Amino acid sequence: MRKKERHRIITQLLSEHDVKKQEDFVEILAQQGVTVTQATISRDIKEMKLIKVPAQNGGYRYSIPRKEQEDVNEKLTDLLKEAVISVDRMEKFISVKTLPGNASACANLLEKQFMKSLFTILNDDDSVLMIARTEEDAMRIQQDITEKSQNV
């Protein structure tokens, strides 16, 4: 598995689980069919600049630094203003049409921004398809994208 894909999965895991130890990453990834060593996870944690924050049930858990989350929002807003042509929704599906060559970057930032509300996200060169977990999530995501792009 490529590092970029593994980092994407790790980011998603952080939103779904209280990961307290590197071994927890290894175990959860193994349950998803991803074989990885603790040493690889250690490198990933450093590269992703993960931090430990207090967990709800005591102890500490890994998290994405707050500053990085703010950067994602700012980058996403800038990219949406420049690259989005249209946003449409049908039930849990959100379609975002972009200028050619912008969909991959858009998909990456959209996934980081809305990871808790998304089931999955797909893209090609000029379009992004997001599948939300609920119709309410889809409506909220569409509204947020539309507000951020301001030219749709």
Side-chain angles (χ1 to χ4, degrees):
M1 170 173 288
R2 291 183 150 163
K3 182 185 348 180
K4 188 174 183 179
E5 177 68 10
R6 192 174 58 249
H7 284 194
R8 186 189 66 75
I9 292 171
I10 288 171
T11 301
Q12 184 177 354
L13 290 178
L14 290 172
S15 70
E16 298 170 357
H17 301 278
D18 271 355
V19 182
K20 296 183 176 188
K21 303 180 296 190
Q22 294 179 4
E23 293 82 7
D24 294 343
F25 277 121
V26 174
E27 186 179 315
I28 295 168
L29 287 167
Q31 291 170 0
Q32 296 188 2
V34 179
T35 305
V36 65
T37 66
Q38 183 270 330
T40 299
I41 290 297
S42 180
R43 284 190 297 274
D44 289 340
I45 288 169
K46 285 180 184 172
E47 289 174 13
M48 296 174 71
K49 299 177 183 155
L50 299 182
I51 59 172
K52 284 216 167 180
V53 297
Q56 289 180 343
N57 57 356
Y60 290 86
R61 65 176 177 82
Y62 283 102
S63 179
I64 297 170
R66 194 80 179 142
K67 176 71 173 142
E68 186 171 312
Q69 291 172 343
E70 292 168 6
D71 288 347
V72 167
N73 189 42
E74 190 176 312
K75 287 178 185 176
L76 179 60
T77 301
D78 292 345
L79 182 59
L80 292 176
K81 284 180 183 177
E82 297 296 321
V84 170
I85 296 170
S86 67
V87 181
D88 198 9
R89 183 184 63 83
M90 181 183 78
E91 297 173 356
K92 295 181 184 180
F93 301 90
I94 304 118
S95 171
V96 180
K97 299 292 182 192
T98 69
L99 295 171
N102 287 280
S104 182
C106 239
N108 182 283
L109 292 170
L110 287 165
E111 184 172 41
K112 287 177 181 175
Q113 183 76 13
F114 299 109
M115 72 177 78
K116 292 179 181 176
S117 303
L118 289 175
F119 172 71
T120 195
I121 189 166
L122 305 166
N123 70 277
D124 61 11
D125 185 59
D126 64 353
S127 60
V128 178
L129 174 63
M130 294 180 282
I131 303 172
R133 295 197 177 275
T134 67
E135 285 190 47
E136 293 78 23
D137 286 338
M139 285 188 283
R140 187 178 44 75
I141 292 168
Q142 179 193 21
Q143 181 179 4
D144 198 26
I145 293 170
T146 301
E147 288 172 4
K148 281 181 165 77
S149 61
Q150 295 178 351
N151 62 354
V152 175

